[in-house]
C-alpha cells in the first residue's frame, strides 16, 4: 500500500516564500538585474514576483505588456527601497515583456517566460466587446466541467488561471483579497473543507474550515464575519444549513437550519431527492430588512429568513405542490404582467434599491412531471423582481435570455450581476449538447454517461447596457459563475508571512460496534490500489472496492484504543452536480477523509474487508 505525507498549501507557500526571500537577501538584485520567481505561491502559473533594491525610496509602476496597448496590465506600488512586487496578467507559453518604471524616471524591461497552459483550462471561442469596455478588468470564471478557474481579458486571452480545483463562488473582499472554495475535497460530489482567503498570486492568507464543509456560496458581512453555506457533518441530508463564522478565528458564531422552517417533501423540483431536498446554492444578507435571502434549487424556492430569529418571512416561487395554508402565510403573490416564476434558480443578489435579481435556470419549468419541458424547448434568463413587503406581493420588472431560447439554456449553475441601472451581467454557464442537440442531462452528469464522446459544452457570459449586449464571451466548458474584477486591487502592496489555518474539521464520526474479523496476516490486495495520504489536519484513505463490500478502516493508538470508520461502497447517485471537477473516472474508487481532531499519537492503519483484517504497514499521527 502506498503512503504519502502531504504539506498543506500554507506550509508549502511559507517554505517557498522563505526560500526566495533568502535568495533575495543574499544577492545584489537591482532594477536592471532583478530576481524573478514564476508562480511563487504554487497556485497561479501566470503570476510572478519580481524583487530588487533601489538606493532611494521610489514608487514602481509595473506594466505587463498586452498583445496591444489595451491589454496592458498596470499597477503602481508604494515608494520603498526594497521592492517585492507581485506580477499579474502574464500570457502562457510566452516570453512576457514586463516594464518596471520608477518614480525617479529610471526604467528597465524584464522578460518572464511562462510554461504551457494546463490542458483543462478552457480557451474562449468567442469574445466580442469594444477594446476599451473592460478597462483593467478581467472576467473570472470558476470551474464546473472540463475547466479550471480562469480569468480572461477583453480579447478572450487567458491572463490568469489556477491548477487547483478552487471551486464555487469567487468574490473579492473589501481588503482586496479573494474568497473562494478550497480544492480539499471532503466528500462527493463537491464538498470541500471550506474557504481560502487569498491573493491573485495564489498566496493563501487564511483557510476557513467547517465540520460540515463548504459548498456553493459565501457572503461577507459589514463586520468582516462570513456567512458560509454548509451542512451538518454526517447528517442524512445535505446543503440545508448556513453558518456565520468569525473572520479572525473561523469559529461558528450562529447557524440557520432550513429543516426547522420548511417542509422537506413539498414543492419538489424535477431534481429533488430525499438527501438533497433543498440544494441551497446562494446566500445574501439584506441590511435594510435584517434578513437572509436563500436560494433552494430543489424546491424552486427563494426563501427569506429573519436574521436574528431564523423565522421564515416569505417564499418566492411556484406555489403548486405546497400546502394551501403554507402558501397563504408565506408565498409572495405575483402582480402585473408579464410575470413568470423561476425554476431551479441560482445566484440571488439584491440591487441597491432593494430589488431581487437571480438567474432563472428554467429547468423543467413545472412542478408536474407530465408537464416538464424538454431541453430543446427550454430557456434560461436573468430576471429582476420587485417585492412589496407590506402587501406581500412581487412584480417582475426585467428579464433577459428568454429570447435566446435553448442556445442560452443552462439547467444548472450560472449567475447574474448588477453594475448600475440598466447595466447587468447574465452568465449562462451550464449549456450542454449531445450530438448537437440540447442535452436532457446536466453537463456534469453527461460527462460520465454513455454519450460522453458526443457531449459539447458551452458557457455564455454577456453584459447588457441600456438593453443592448455590449460584451459576450463563449467558453467550451461549463463554468459555475462569472465575476468581473481587476487583477490588482487599489493600493495593493506585497503581503508576506505565513497564512493561518482557522476553524475546525470537527471530529469524524466513528463506528461504535466492533466487527469480528479474521486476521489475514497480509496486506490489502494490490487490486484495491489502496493508499494513505497524511495531511497536517486529516488523513485520506483511497482505494477501489466492489459495490456492496463491507469495508472498515481502523486506526489503533499505542494505548490499544481503536478508532473505527465505516466506508460506504454503495453506488453514489446524485441528481445534481454543480461542480464536476472532482468526479472519479472509476465509480469503484472511494475516498475516506478522517479529521485528526480527537486523535492522538501514532496509530497503526488496518482495513477490514468482508470480515478479513488486513495490515497496511502504515502508521499515521494524530493532532
Amino acid at each position: 500500500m502506498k503512503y504519502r505525507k502531504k504539506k498543506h498549501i500554507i506550509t508549502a507557500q511559507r517554505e517557498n516564500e522563505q526560500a526566495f526571500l533568502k535568495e533575495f537577501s543574499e544577492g545584489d538584485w537591482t532594477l536592471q538585474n532583478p530576481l524573478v520567481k514564476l508562480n511563487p505561491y504554487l497556485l497561479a502559473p501566470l503570476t510572478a514576483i519580481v524583487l530588487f533594491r533601489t538606493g532611494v525610496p521610489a514608487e514602481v509602476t509595473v506594466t505587463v505588456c498586452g498583445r496591444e496597448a489595451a491589454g496592458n496590465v498596470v499597477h503602481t506600488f508604494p515608494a520603498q527601497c526594497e521592492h517585492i512586487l507581485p506580477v499579474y496578467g502574464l500570457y502562457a507559453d510566452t516570453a512576457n515583456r514586463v516594464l518596471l518604471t520608477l518614480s525617479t524616471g529610471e526604467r528597465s524591461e524584464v522578460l518572464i517566460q511562462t510554461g504551457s497552459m494546463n490542458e483543462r483550462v478552457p480557451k474562449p471561442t468567442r469574445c466580442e466587446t469594444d477594446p476599451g469596455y473592460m478597462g483593467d478588468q478581467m472576467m473570472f470564471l470558476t470551474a464546473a466541467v472540463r475547466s479550471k478557474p480562469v480569468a480572461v481579458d477583453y480579447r478572450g486571452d487567458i491572463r490568469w488561471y489556477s491548477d487547483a480545483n478552487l471551486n464555487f463562488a469567487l468574490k473579492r473582499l473589501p481588503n482586496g483579497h479573494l474568497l473562494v472554495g478550497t480544492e480539499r475535497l471532503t466528500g462527493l460530489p463537491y464538498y470541500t473543507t471550506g474557504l481560502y482567503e487569498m491573493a491573485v498570486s495564489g498566496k493563501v492568507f487564511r483557510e476557513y474550515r467547517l465540520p460540515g464543509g463548504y459548498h456553493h456560496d459565501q457572503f461577507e458581512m459589514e463586520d468582516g464575519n462570513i456567512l458560509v453555506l454548509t451542512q451538518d457533518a454526517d447528517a442524512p441530508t445535505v446543503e440545508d444549513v448556513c453558518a456565520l463564522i468569525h473572520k479572525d478565528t473561523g469559529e461558528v458564531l450562529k447557524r440557520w437550519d432550513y429543516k426547522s422552517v420548511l417542509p422537506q417533501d413539498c414543492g419538489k423540483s424535477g431534481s429533488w431527492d430525499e438527501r438533497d431536498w433543498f440544494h441551497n446554492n446562494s446566500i445574501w444578507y439584506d441590511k435594510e430588512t435584517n434578513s437572509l435571502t436563500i436560494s433552494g434549487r430543489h424546491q424552486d424556492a427563494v426563501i427569506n429568513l429573519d436574521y436574528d430569529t431564523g423565522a421564515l418571512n416569505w417564499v418566492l416561487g411556484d406555489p403548486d405542490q405546497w400546502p394551501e395554508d403554507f402558501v397563504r402565510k408565506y408565498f409572495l403573490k405575483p402582480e402585473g404582467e408579464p410575470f413568470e416564476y423561476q425554476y431551479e434558480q441560482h445566484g440571488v443578489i439584491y440591487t441597491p434599491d432593494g430589488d431581487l435579481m437571480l438567474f432563472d435556470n428554467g429547468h423543467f419549468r413545472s412542478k408536474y412531471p407530465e408537464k416538464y419541458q424538454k431541453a430543446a424547448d427550454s430557456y434560461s434568463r436573468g430576471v429582476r423582481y420587485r417585492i412589496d413587503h407590506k402587501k406581500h406581493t412581487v412584480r417582475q420588472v426585467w428579464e433577459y435570455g428568454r429570447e435566446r431560447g435553448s442556445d442560452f439554456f443552462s439547467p444548472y449553475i450560472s449567475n447574474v450581476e448588477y453594475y448600475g441601472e440598466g447595466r447587468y451581467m447574465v452568465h449562462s454557464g451550464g449549456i450542454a449538447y449531445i450530438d448537437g442537440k440540447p442535452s436532457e442531462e446536466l453537463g456534469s452528469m453527461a460527462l460520465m454517461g454513455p454519450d460522453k464522446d458526443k457531449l459539447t459544452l458551452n458557457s455564455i457570459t454577456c453584459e447588457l447596457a441600456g438593453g443592448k449586449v455590449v460584451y459576450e464571451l463563449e467558453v467550451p466548458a461549463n463554468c459555475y459563475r462569472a465575476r468581473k474584477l481587476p487583477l490588482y486591487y487599489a493600493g495593493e502592496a506585497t503581503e508576506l508571512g505565513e497564512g493561518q489555518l482557522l476553524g475546525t474539521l470537527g471530529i469524524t464520526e466513528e463506528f461504535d460496534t466492533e466487527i469480528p474479523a479474521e486476521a489475514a496476516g497480509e496486506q490489502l490486495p494490490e487490486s484495491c490500489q489502496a493508499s494513505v495520504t497524511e495531511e497536517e489536519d486529516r488523513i485520506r484513505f483511497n482505494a477501489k472496492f466492489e459495490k456492496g463490500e463491507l469495508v472498515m478502516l481502523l486506526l489503533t493508538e499505542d494505548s490499544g484504543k481503536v478508532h473505527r470508520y465505516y466506508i460506504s461502497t454503495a453506488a453514489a447517485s446524485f441528481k445534481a452536480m454543480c461542480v464536476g471537477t472532482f468526479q472519479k473516472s472509476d465509480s469503484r474508487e472511494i475516498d475516506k477523509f478522517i479529521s485528526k481532531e480527537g486523535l492522538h499519537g501514532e496509530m497503526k492503519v488496518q482495513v477490514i474487508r468482508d470480515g478479513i483484517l488486513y495490515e497496511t504497514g502504515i502508521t499515521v499521527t494524530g493532532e
Side-chain angles (χ1 to χ4, degrees):
M1 181 182 287
K2 295 180 180 177
Y3 169 81
R4 180 169 71 111
K5 198 156 189 176
K6 183 179 180 181
K7 296 174 183 175
H8 191 283
I9 186 61
I10 287 174
T11 300
Q13 289 183 350
R14 180 197 68 209
E15 292 175 356
N16 215 46
E17 183 177 272
Q18 288 175 342
F20 68 67
L21 289 177
K22 182 175 186 294
E23 186 176 357
F24 179 49
S25 68
E26 293 174 349
D28 183 19
W29 305 103
T30 65
L31 175 65
Q32 303 302 324
N33 180 38
L35 176 62
V36 178
K37 294 294 180 180
L38 189 65
N39 193 10
Y41 292 104
L42 313 172
L43 288 179
L46 299 185
T47 69
I49 199 158
V50 174
L51 307 91
F52 61 93
R53 300 180 188 86
T54 51
V56 296
E59 292 184 344
V60 182
T61 298
V62 173
T63 303
V64 178
C65 297
R67 304 202 189 283
E68 56 191 12
N72 289 354
V73 175
V74 182
H75 184 72
T76 298
F77 292 90
Q80 49 197 352
C81 293
E82 196 166 80
H83 307 277
I84 303 173
L85 312 177
V87 175
Y88 306 151
L90 303 173
Y91 297 92
D93 200 18
T94 300
N96 292 266
R97 293 178 59 237
V98 178
L99 307 180
L100 306 174
T101 305
L102 304 188
S103 52
T104 59
E106 295 177 84
R107 301 182 62 189
S108 74
E109 178 177 317
V110 181
L111 291 181
I112 301 179
Q113 178 66 52
T114 52
S116 57
M117 196 141 46
N118 186 310
E119 61 181 14
R120 289 185 60 192
V121 175
K123 299 179 178 64
T125 54
R126 185 169 69 93
C127 188
E128 295 182 0
T129 190
D130 183 287
Y133 176 74
M134 292 288 281
D136 65 346
Q137 300 192 93
M138 305 282 168
M139 191 63 74
F140 283 78
L141 302 171
T142 45
V145 184
R146 288 180 177 166
S147 55
K148 290 283 189 182
V150 67
V152 301
D153 67 10
Y154 69 98
R155 288 169 48 108
D157 289 330
I158 293 169
R159 308 295 294 273
W160 180 92
Y161 75 90
S162 179
D163 283 319
N165 283 337
L166 305 176
N167 66 93
F168 288 118
L170 180 149
K171 297 182 177 181
R172 176 155 268 158
L173 300 172
N175 65 7
H177 298 165
L178 303 178
L179 194 64
V180 64
T182 76
E183 84 291 6
R184 299 211 295 152
L185 186 71
T186 60
L188 292 175
Y190 43 57
Y191 308 123
T192 64
T193 53
L195 294 158
Y196 285 147
E197 180 182 337
M198 59 180 275
V200 170
S201 65
K203 181 178 176 64
V204 175
F205 302 105
R206 294 172 172 177
E207 181 188 346
Y208 295 100
R209 301 169 299 169
L210 293 93
Y214 159 80
H215 64 88
H216 283 94
D217 201 11
Q218 68 275 358
F219 184 97
E220 188 189 34
M221 305 289 281
E222 278 190 352
D223 59 7
N225 294 333
I226 306 165
L227 294 166
V228 184
L229 299 189
T230 184
Q231 55 221 345
D232 288 329
D234 303 310
T237 60
V238 294
E239 303 187 26
D240 50 12
V241 174
C242 176
L244 178 71
I245 62 173
H246 194 281
K247 62 180 175 26
D248 295 324
T249 66
E251 176 190 359
V252 174
L253 304 173
K254 188 176 176 66
R255 63 192 301 279
W256 297 263
D257 187 335
Y258 318 141
K259 293 187 291 294
S260 66
V261 295
L262 291 173
Q264 298 171 50
D265 58 352
C266 297
K268 301 175 184 178
S269 82
S271 300
W272 182 94
D273 66 39
E274 289 186 0
R275 183 168 185 262
D276 194 6
W277 65 276
F278 189 67
H279 196 90
N280 184 195
N281 58 39
S282 70
I283 180 71
W284 189 278
Y285 172 75
D286 180 47
K287 183 179 180 181
E288 184 71 22
T289 58
N290 190 36
S291 67
L292 301 178
T293 301
I294 296 159
S295 168
R297 178 181 189 257
H298 290 177
Q299 289 190 327
D300 297 323
V302 175
I303 67 171
N304 182 268
L305 305 181
D306 182 277
Y307 177 84
D308 293 325
T309 68
L312 183 62
N313 291 325
W314 52 257
V315 178
L316 170 62
D318 185 340
D320 286 349
Q321 302 293 332
W322 290 85
E324 289 185 13
D325 59 340
F326 193 87
V327 171
R328 281 194 301 269
K329 187 173 183 180
Y330 295 114
F331 272 66
L332 300 174
K333 298 176 179 61
E335 63 178 16
E337 296 290 341
F339 182 89
E340 185 175 12
Y341 289 115
Q342 82 288 345
Y343 294 86
E344 298 205 348
Q345 72 289 324
H346 283 73
V348 171
I349 63 171
Y350 275 77
T351 67
D353 62 0
D355 284 355
L356 182 150
M357 290 182 68
L358 56 82
F359 187 89
D360 171 19
N361 295 82
H363 197 204
F364 299 114
R365 276 205 192 278
S366 177
K367 295 292 190 180
Y368 303 98
E370 64 273 18
K371 295 182 180 180
Y372 287 169
Q373 285 191 356
K374 295 290 186 182
D377 302 321
S378 298
Y379 56 89
S380 299
R381 61 190 183 131
V383 60
R384 180 173 177 178
Y385 293 111
R386 185 159 296 151
I387 297 171
D388 188 319
H389 296 282
K390 291 182 179 180
K391 294 171 59 180
H392 217 58
T393 58
V394 60
R395 180 185 298 271
Q396 181 179 304
V397 296
W398 172 85
E399 70 170 11
Y400 173 82
R402 178 198 299 262
E403 63 274 32
R404 299 186 66 157
S406 62
D407 287 343
F408 201 66
F409 174 56
S410 175
Y412 74 131
I413 59 179
S414 311
N415 69 303
V416 295
E417 291 289 340
Y418 174 91
Y419 298 133
E421 277 306 305
R423 293 188 60 242
Y424 313 123
M425 183 192 77
V426 182
H427 168 68
S428 186
I431 303 166
Y433 302 90
I434 298 291
D435 208 14
K437 298 177 182 178
S439 173
E440 297 297 335
E441 284 191 293
L442 308 186
S444 57
M445 312 285 274
L447 187 65
M448 301 301 290
D451 295 323
K452 62 182 179 181
D453 293 334
K454 300 177 182 178
L455 176 66
T456 303
L457 301 175
N458 199 16
S459 170
I460 300 176
T461 308
C462 55
E463 293 187 18
L464 300 104
K468 296 182 179 180
V469 176
V470 294
Y471 171 92
E472 187 153 321
L473 172 72
E474 287 195 50
V475 175
N478 279 180
C479 302
Y480 176 72
R481 283 191 185 176
R483 191 168 301 276
K484 187 169 68 172
L485 299 169
L487 291 173
Y488 291 101
Y489 60 87
E492 180 168 358
T494 305
E495 298 176 80
L496 301 172
E498 185 174 2
Q500 296 176 288
L501 197 56
L502 302 177
T504 175
L505 297 177
I507 296 176
T508 304
E509 184 179 42
E510 297 187 31
F511 195 82
D512 293 333
T513 306
E514 183 177 354
I515 302 297
E518 180 183 347
E522 59 185 38
Q523 291 201 5
L524 201 62
E526 288 188 8
S527 60
C528 294
Q529 300 178 33
S531 67
V532 171
T533 301
E534 185 172 359
E535 301 179 35
E536 294 174 25
D537 59 351
R538 64 179 189 167
I539 299 153
R540 175 198 179 202
F541 174 72
N542 175 267
K544 290 182 179 180
F545 297 105
E546 298 299 326
K547 302 303 178 189
E549 287 188 290
L550 178 61
V551 180
M552 186 171 291
L553 185 69
L554 308 182
L555 300 180
T556 304
E557 297 181 4
D558 288 342
S559 65
K561 182 178 181 180
V562 181
H563 303 271
R564 301 175 179 87
Y565 303 94
Y566 172 73
I567 296 175
S568 175
T569 59
S573 177
F574 308 104
K575 296 188 74 174
M577 193 181 298
C578 292
V579 170
T581 53
F582 296 104
Q583 288 184 24
K584 306 290 189 181
S585 58
D586 188 335
S587 62
R588 297 178 305 134
E589 182 184 350
I590 59 92
D591 282 314
K592 180 68 178 180
F593 296 95
I594 298 169
S595 168
K596 286 188 174 182
E597 188 167 337
L599 303 178
H600 305 284
E602 287 195 348
M603 296 169 290
K604 181 171 62 175
V605 180
Q606 297 169 302
V607 178
I608 294 177
R609 180 193 186 200
D610 283 344
I612 306 297
L613 177 65
Y614 294 94
E615 303 296 331
T616 67
I618 293 170
T619 58
V620 293
T621 306
E623 61 180 357

